[in-house]
Amino acid sequence: MSAFVPPFCPWPHCRASSLDTGFQCYRDGTFPRSADGRRVQRYRCKSCRRRFSSQSFRLDYRQQKPQINTQLLDCLVSKVTHRQTARILRIDRKTVHRRLRVFGPALRRWHARFLARARSNGGLSGSFSLDELETFEHDRRLQPLTVPVLIHRATRFVVHLETADLPARGNLCALDQERKLVRERRYGKRASGSQQAVAHCLNALKQCHAPGELLQLVMDQKSSYPPLVRRHFGKQIAALIRESSRTARNTLNPMFPINHMLSMLRDQVSRLVRRSWAASKRKAELRHHLWVFVAWRNYVRPMFNSTPQVSSAMKLGLATRRYQPAELLRWKWPDRMCDSSTRWGQYP
């Protein structure tokens, strides 16, 4: 029997649906879950008198095959395409797509919870690096995308990333030019969202950066970067190192940590592999996939092969241990639930 203690009522219109209000409930029977045979405790809220269960708080709520979730996450960060993942796990490809749409937002909230904890504990300090990765959705020439990534250099901790549109490429052939005009008549002219996406990354860093420390940021020589950095940090900039993208990409290059991270993204996220049929068809799905990678890279994977027991979040002081994939996929609202070290949400 579970020792779960519900922290709030999961029904959205109940006055006890927030952690800020007092919440009282009592046990009201159990039922065997047909998907995995686990006995689940039911509860009844004393405010709205409606019933719910401990399963209402879990990410695998109403999933028919919850046992595949950890294997599915492993495939998503191992350069395995959706179709091949479906073949390996003996499931439908639509199941992979639906689970990714559940995992992505939940793991983004998981990451936001740790950044909020860092902000409350004094913020992040050290040197950071920013660069953009280019990819595309559906069509390489007509629908390119940019993915700005911001990391902590020493620990390779991914602070934030975004996805944004880029204009169609130039020097198009006659057929592509005709297709471009048809697409513009239907969807409008494609504009660049690079500056806005970079601004989102810098704003995320500003929210969790140590208030009393000056910023150290390494980036390439793109002309739009310095104004954005000054707009967000003003006089709180200690060093703004701008390295040419033509410099040899070895360990002596100041951009090596971010270049290494972008190479890892291309190697472990199937949608980013160059010149393959696994390219993303929709920008939103790419964003979900990238946040799965961010959570796995920061909290599950070792920081380096030479430190197998230490994750990037541990080295940065945001976590006390390496998390297991099953822990990342446990809660539906990880930002509103307590850690697994507390009594809330414990399953012996």
Side-chain angles (χ1 to χ4, degrees), residues 284-313:
E285 308 305 323
L286 172 63
R287 186 182 299 113
H288 295 329
H289 201 156
L290 290 175
W291 279 110
V292 172
F293 172 84
V294 168
W296 175 80
R297 178 63 182 84
N298 286 345
Y299 306 101
V300 178
R301 185 190 185 277
M303 182 176 63
F304 302 115
N305 291 333
S306 58
T307 57
Q309 302 302 323
V310 180
S311 67
S312 297

mmCIF file of all heavy atoms in Angstrom, residues 284-313:
data_model
loop_
_atom_site.group_PDB
_atom_site.id
_atom_site.type_symbol
_atom_site.label_atom_id
_atom_site.label_comp_id
_atom_site.label_asym_id
_atom_site.label_seq_id
_atom_site.Cartn_x
_atom_site.Cartn_y
_atom_site.Cartn_z
ATOM 1 N N ALA A 284 7.167 22.719 -32.586
ATOM 2 C CA ALA A 284 6.738 22.422 -31.216
ATOM 3 C C ALA A 284 7.226 21.044 -30.776
ATOM 4 O O ALA A 284 7.637 20.860 -29.618
ATOM 5 C CB ALA A 284 5.218 22.510 -31.106
ATOM 6 N N GLU A 285 7.202 20.073 -31.683
ATOM 7 C CA GLU A 285 7.662 18.725 -31.325
ATOM 8 C C GLU A 285 9.173 18.714 -31.092
ATOM 9 O O GLU A 285 9.667 18.001 -30.219
ATOM 10 C CB GLU A 285 7.291 17.729 -32.433
ATOM 11 C CG GLU A 285 5.823 17.762 -32.819
ATOM 12 C CD GLU A 285 4.913 17.544 -31.628
ATOM 13 O OE1 GLU A 285 5.254 16.738 -30.739
ATOM 14 O OE2 GLU A 285 3.846 18.187 -31.587
ATOM 15 N N LEU A 286 9.896 19.519 -31.860
ATOM 16 C CA LEU A 286 11.338 19.636 -31.618
ATOM 17 C C LEU A 286 11.600 20.208 -30.236
ATOM 18 O O LEU A 286 12.493 19.751 -29.517
ATOM 19 C CB LEU A 286 11.963 20.531 -32.692
ATOM 20 C CG LEU A 286 13.425 20.919 -32.478
ATOM 21 C CD1 LEU A 286 14.330 19.693 -32.485
ATOM 22 C CD2 LEU A 286 13.877 21.927 -33.532
ATOM 23 N N ARG A 287 10.815 21.203 -29.850
ATOM 24 C CA ARG A 287 10.988 21.811 -28.524
ATOM 25 C C ARG A 287 10.747 20.788 -27.428
ATOM 26 O O ARG A 287 11.513 20.719 -26.458
ATOM 27 C CB ARG A 287 10.034 22.990 -28.363
ATOM 28 C CG ARG A 287 10.252 23.775 -27.068
ATOM 29 C CD ARG A 287 9.254 24.911 -26.926
ATOM 30 N NE ARG A 287 9.360 25.879 -28.000
ATOM 31 C CZ ARG A 287 8.417 26.087 -28.919
ATOM 32 N NH1 ARG A 287 7.294 25.392 -28.890
ATOM 33 N NH2 ARG A 287 8.596 26.993 -29.846
ATOM 34 N N HIS A 288 9.709 19.967 -27.544
ATOM 35 C CA HIS A 288 9.461 18.923 -26.541
ATOM 36 C C HIS A 288 10.646 17.963 -26.453
ATOM 37 O O HIS A 288 11.084 17.587 -25.357
ATOM 38 C CB HIS A 288 8.195 18.140 -26.901
ATOM 39 C CG HIS A 288 6.944 18.968 -26.860
ATOM 40 N ND1 HIS A 288 6.787 20.031 -26.008
ATOM 41 C CD2 HIS A 288 5.779 18.861 -27.568
ATOM 42 C CE1 HIS A 288 5.587 20.555 -26.179
ATOM 43 N NE2 HIS A 288 4.973 19.884 -27.103
ATOM 44 N N HIS A 289 11.160 17.554 -27.598
ATOM 45 C CA HIS A 289 12.265 16.600 -27.627
ATOM 46 C C HIS A 289 13.517 17.200 -26.972
ATOM 47 O O HIS A 289 14.233 16.528 -26.218
ATOM 48 C CB HIS A 289 12.564 16.212 -29.079
ATOM 49 C CG HIS A 289 13.291 14.931 -29.217
ATOM 50 N ND1 HIS A 289 13.262 14.158 -30.353
ATOM 51 C CD2 HIS A 289 14.117 14.262 -28.353
ATOM 52 C CE1 HIS A 289 14.019 13.086 -30.190
ATOM 53 N NE2 HIS A 289 14.552 13.126 -28.984
ATOM 54 N N LEU A 290 13.771 18.479 -27.228
ATOM 55 C CA LEU A 290 14.952 19.118 -26.663
ATOM 56 C C LEU A 290 14.868 19.232 -25.150
ATOM 57 O O LEU A 290 15.880 19.094 -24.448
ATOM 58 C CB LEU A 290 15.141 20.499 -27.288
ATOM 59 C CG LEU A 290 15.565 20.522 -28.760
ATOM 60 C CD1 LEU A 290 15.606 21.948 -29.280
ATOM 61 C CD2 LEU A 290 16.908 19.840 -28.957
ATOM 62 N N TRP A 291 13.678 19.470 -24.602
ATOM 63 C CA TRP A 291 13.560 19.571 -23.152
ATOM 64 C C TRP A 291 13.717 18.210 -22.483
ATOM 65 O O TRP A 291 14.164 18.128 -21.346
ATOM 66 C CB TRP A 291 12.244 20.237 -22.767
ATOM 67 C CG TRP A 291 12.336 21.723 -22.883
ATOM 68 C CD1 TRP A 291 11.730 22.529 -23.788
ATOM 69 C CD2 TRP A 291 13.130 22.584 -22.055
ATOM 70 N NE1 TRP A 291 12.091 23.841 -23.585
ATOM 71 C CE2 TRP A 291 12.944 23.902 -22.533
ATOM 72 C CE3 TRP A 291 13.974 22.376 -20.965
ATOM 73 C CZ2 TRP A 291 13.573 24.997 -21.947
ATOM 74 C CZ3 TRP A 291 14.606 23.467 -20.392
ATOM 75 C CH2 TRP A 291 14.405 24.762 -20.876
ATOM 76 N N VAL A 292 13.365 17.151 -23.181
ATOM 77 C CA VAL A 292 13.664 15.813 -22.660
ATOM 78 C C VAL A 292 15.178 15.631 -22.564
ATOM 79 O O VAL A 292 15.704 15.129 -21.558
ATOM 80 C CB VAL A 292 13.035 14.738 -23.563
ATOM 81 C CG1 VAL A 292 13.510 13.342 -23.154
ATOM 82 C CG2 VAL A 292 11.511 14.798 -23.492
ATOM 83 N N PHE A 293 15.890 16.066 -23.594
ATOM 84 C CA PHE A 293 17.347 15.964 -23.563
ATOM 85 C C PHE A 293 17.937 16.811 -22.447
ATOM 86 O O PHE A 293 18.872 16.382 -21.749
ATOM 87 C CB PHE A 293 17.929 16.386 -24.913
ATOM 88 C CG PHE A 293 19.428 16.496 -24.910
ATOM 89 C CD1 PHE A 293 20.217 15.382 -25.115
ATOM 90 C CD2 PHE A 293 20.052 17.715 -24.675
ATOM 91 C CE1 PHE A 293 21.609 15.473 -25.094
ATOM 92 C CE2 PHE A 293 21.443 17.820 -24.651
ATOM 93 C CZ PHE A 293 22.206 16.698 -24.863
ATOM 94 N N VAL A 294 17.426 18.037 -22.249
ATOM 95 C CA VAL A 294 17.963 18.930 -21.222
ATOM 96 C C VAL A 294 17.838 18.294 -19.843
ATOM 97 O O VAL A 294 18.793 18.284 -19.049
ATOM 98 C CB VAL A 294 17.237 20.291 -21.259
ATOM 99 C CG1 VAL A 294 17.577 21.125 -20.027
ATOM 100 C CG2 VAL A 294 17.618 21.048 -22.524
ATOM 101 N N ALA A 295 16.658 17.747 -19.524
ATOM 102 C CA ALA A 295 16.468 17.125 -18.216
ATOM 103 C C ALA A 295 17.386 15.919 -18.039
ATOM 104 O O ALA A 295 17.970 15.719 -16.972
ATOM 105 C CB ALA A 295 15.005 16.725 -18.049
ATOM 106 N N TRP A 296 17.512 15.121 -19.088
ATOM 107 C CA TRP A 296 18.388 13.941 -18.999
ATOM 108 C C TRP A 296 19.850 14.360 -18.860
ATOM 109 O O TRP A 296 20.589 13.805 -18.032
ATOM 110 C CB TRP A 296 18.202 13.084 -20.249
ATOM 111 C CG TRP A 296 19.130 11.920 -20.340
ATOM 112 C CD1 TRP A 296 19.017 10.713 -19.716
ATOM 113 C CD2 TRP A 296 20.339 11.863 -21.119
ATOM 114 N NE1 TRP A 296 20.074 9.898 -20.050
ATOM 115 C CE2 TRP A 296 20.898 10.581 -20.918
ATOM 116 C CE3 TRP A 296 20.982 12.756 -21.965
ATOM 117 C CZ2 TRP A 296 22.078 10.187 -21.533
ATOM 118 C CZ3 TRP A 296 22.155 12.367 -22.574
ATOM 119 C CH2 TRP A 296 22.697 11.090 -22.352
ATOM 120 N N ARG A 297 20.272 15.365 -19.630
ATOM 121 C CA ARG A 297 21.675 15.800 -19.592
ATOM 122 C C ARG A 297 22.033 16.431 -18.257
ATOM 123 O O ARG A 297 23.130 16.229 -17.735
ATOM 124 C CB ARG A 297 21.933 16.811 -20.729
ATOM 125 C CG ARG A 297 23.364 17.371 -20.765
ATOM 126 C CD ARG A 297 24.354 16.261 -21.023
ATOM 127 N NE ARG A 297 25.741 16.717 -21.026
ATOM 128 C CZ ARG A 297 26.500 16.875 -19.952
ATOM 129 N NH1 ARG A 297 25.988 16.650 -18.743
ATOM 130 N NH2 ARG A 297 27.755 17.245 -20.053
ATOM 131 N N ASN A 298 21.134 17.195 -17.674
ATOM 132 C CA ASN A 298 21.445 17.915 -16.444
ATOM 133 C C ASN A 298 21.360 17.052 -15.196
ATOM 134 O O ASN A 298 22.155 17.230 -14.272
ATOM 135 C CB ASN A 298 20.499 19.100 -16.282
ATOM 136 C CG ASN A 298 20.828 20.236 -17.231
ATOM 137 O OD1 ASN A 298 21.902 20.287 -17.816
ATOM 138 N ND2 ASN A 298 19.884 21.139 -17.408
ATOM 139 N N TYR A 299 20.394 16.130 -15.154
ATOM 140 C CA TYR A 299 20.075 15.474 -13.888
ATOM 141 C C TYR A 299 20.293 13.959 -13.886
ATOM 142 O O TYR A 299 20.362 13.365 -12.817
ATOM 143 C CB TYR A 299 18.614 15.764 -13.509
ATOM 144 C CG TYR A 299 18.304 17.239 -13.489
ATOM 145 C CD1 TYR A 299 17.639 17.848 -14.552
ATOM 146 C CD2 TYR A 299 18.699 18.037 -12.427
ATOM 147 C CE1 TYR A 299 17.372 19.209 -14.542
ATOM 148 C CE2 TYR A 299 18.441 19.391 -12.406
ATOM 149 C CZ TYR A 299 17.776 19.970 -13.474
ATOM 150 O OH TYR A 299 17.523 21.318 -13.461
ATOM 151 N N VAL A 300 20.404 13.333 -15.055
ATOM 152 C CA VAL A 300 20.559 11.872 -15.123
ATOM 153 C C VAL A 300 21.955 11.489 -15.591
ATOM 154 O O VAL A 300 22.630 10.684 -14.947
ATOM 155 C CB VAL A 300 19.500 11.258 -16.061
ATOM 156 C CG1 VAL A 300 19.706 9.747 -16.175
ATOM 157 C CG2 VAL A 300 18.095 11.562 -15.555
ATOM 158 N N ARG A 301 22.401 12.045 -16.676
ATOM 159 C CA ARG A 301 23.692 11.676 -17.253
ATOM 160 C C ARG A 301 24.840 12.182 -16.389
ATOM 161 O O ARG A 301 24.759 13.271 -15.819
ATOM 162 C CB ARG A 301 23.823 12.278 -18.655
ATOM 163 C CG ARG A 301 25.082 11.876 -19.407
ATOM 164 C CD ARG A 301 25.233 12.712 -20.664
ATOM 165 N NE ARG A 301 26.357 12.282 -21.466
ATOM 166 C CZ ARG A 301 27.622 12.638 -21.270
ATOM 167 N NH1 ARG A 301 27.929 13.441 -20.256
ATOM 168 N NH2 ARG A 301 28.582 12.204 -22.070
ATOM 169 N N PRO A 302 25.940 11.438 -16.272
ATOM 170 C CA PRO A 302 27.122 11.970 -15.578
ATOM 171 C C PRO A 302 27.651 13.214 -16.295
ATOM 172 O O PRO A 302 27.547 13.330 -17.517
ATOM 173 C CB PRO A 302 28.126 10.816 -15.647
ATOM 174 C CG PRO A 302 27.305 9.595 -15.873
ATOM 175 C CD PRO A 302 26.125 10.026 -16.673
ATOM 176 N N MET A 303 28.222 14.111 -15.524
ATOM 177 C CA MET A 303 28.749 15.342 -16.110
ATOM 178 C C MET A 303 29.813 15.027 -17.152
ATOM 179 O O MET A 303 29.784 15.546 -18.267
ATOM 180 C CB MET A 303 29.312 16.228 -15.006
ATOM 181 C CG MET A 303 29.834 17.559 -15.482
ATOM 182 S SD MET A 303 30.382 18.640 -14.134
ATOM 183 C CE MET A 303 31.724 17.655 -13.450
ATOM 184 N N PHE A 304 30.765 14.175 -16.794
ATOM 185 C CA PHE A 304 31.790 13.691 -17.720
ATOM 186 C C PHE A 304 31.935 12.187 -17.507
ATOM 187 O O PHE A 304 31.534 11.647 -16.469
ATOM 188 C CB PHE A 304 33.136 14.389 -17.474
ATOM 189 C CG PHE A 304 33.092 15.880 -17.605
ATOM 190 C CD1 PHE A 304 33.336 16.686 -16.506
ATOM 191 C CD2 PHE A 304 32.811 16.471 -18.819
ATOM 192 C CE1 PHE A 304 33.299 18.060 -16.625
ATOM 193 C CE2 PHE A 304 32.768 17.848 -18.945
ATOM 194 C CZ PHE A 304 33.010 18.651 -17.846
ATOM 195 N N ASN A 305 32.542 11.510 -18.465
ATOM 196 C CA ASN A 305 32.791 10.081 -18.304
ATOM 197 C C ASN A 305 33.746 9.800 -17.150
ATOM 198 O O ASN A 305 33.711 8.716 -16.557
ATOM 199 C CB ASN A 305 33.348 9.500 -19.600
ATOM 200 C CG ASN A 305 32.318 9.476 -20.714
ATOM 201 O OD1 ASN A 305 31.127 9.407 -20.451
ATOM 202 N ND2 ASN A 305 32.778 9.555 -21.955
ATOM 203 N N SER A 306 34.590 10.766 -16.828
ATOM 204 C CA SER A 306 35.542 10.575 -15.729
ATOM 205 C C SER A 306 34.893 10.777 -14.364
ATOM 206 O O SER A 306 35.528 10.503 -13.341
ATOM 207 C CB SER A 306 36.701 11.563 -15.883
ATOM 208 O OG SER A 306 36.224 12.906 -15.907
ATOM 209 N N THR A 307 33.646 11.276 -14.328
ATOM 210 C CA THR A 307 32.922 11.473 -13.057
ATOM 211 C C THR A 307 31.583 10.747 -13.137
ATOM 212 O O THR A 307 30.532 11.383 -13.228
ATOM 213 C CB THR A 307 32.706 12.974 -12.792
ATOM 214 O OG1 THR A 307 31.987 13.553 -13.898
ATOM 215 C CG2 THR A 307 34.030 13.689 -12.635
ATOM 216 N N PRO A 308 31.580 9.422 -13.096
ATOM 217 C CA PRO A 308 30.344 8.667 -13.337
ATOM 218 C C PRO A 308 29.273 8.852 -12.279
ATOM 219 O O PRO A 308 28.102 8.539 -12.532
ATOM 220 C CB PRO A 308 30.829 7.210 -13.387
ATOM 221 C CG PRO A 308 32.087 7.202 -12.587
ATOM 222 C CD PRO A 308 32.727 8.531 -12.825
ATOM 223 N N GLN A 309 29.604 9.327 -11.100
ATOM 224 C CA GLN A 309 28.617 9.469 -10.030
ATOM 225 C C GLN A 309 28.143 10.912 -9.843
ATOM 226 O O GLN A 309 27.339 11.177 -8.949
ATOM 227 C CB GLN A 309 29.213 8.963 -8.708
ATOM 228 C CG GLN A 309 29.665 7.522 -8.745
ATOM 229 C CD GLN A 309 28.550 6.564 -9.116
ATOM 230 O OE1 GLN A 309 27.406 6.759 -8.715
ATOM 231 N NE2 GLN A 309 28.883 5.525 -9.872
ATOM 232 N N VAL A 310 28.626 11.829 -10.664
ATOM 233 C CA VAL A 310 28.317 13.251 -10.483
ATOM 234 C C VAL A 310 27.637 13.781 -11.743
ATOM 235 O O VAL A 310 28.197 13.678 -12.840
ATOM 236 C CB VAL A 310 29.591 14.068 -10.184
ATOM 237 C CG1 VAL A 310 29.251 15.541 -9.993
ATOM 238 C CG2 VAL A 310 30.292 13.523 -8.953
ATOM 239 N N SER A 311 26.462 14.348 -11.581
ATOM 240 C CA SER A 311 25.759 14.984 -12.692
ATOM 241 C C SER A 311 26.085 16.468 -12.722
ATOM 242 O O SER A 311 26.675 17.021 -11.786
ATOM 243 C CB SER A 311 24.246 14.782 -12.566
ATOM 244 O OG SER A 311 23.747 15.477 -11.431
ATOM 245 N N SER A 312 25.684 17.131 -13.799
ATOM 246 C CA SER A 312 25.926 18.569 -13.912
ATOM 247 C C SER A 312 25.197 19.336 -12.820
ATOM 248 O O SER A 312 25.730 20.294 -12.247
ATOM 249 C CB SER A 312 25.487 19.064 -15.289
ATOM 250 O OG SER A 312 26.253 18.467 -16.306
ATOM 251 N N ALA A 313 23.966 18.919 -12.515
ATOM 252 C CA ALA A 313 23.199 19.595 -11.462
ATOM 253 C C ALA A 313 23.851 19.401 -10.100
ATOM 254 O O ALA A 313 23.827 20.309 -9.263
ATOM 255 C CB ALA A 313 21.771 19.066 -11.444
#
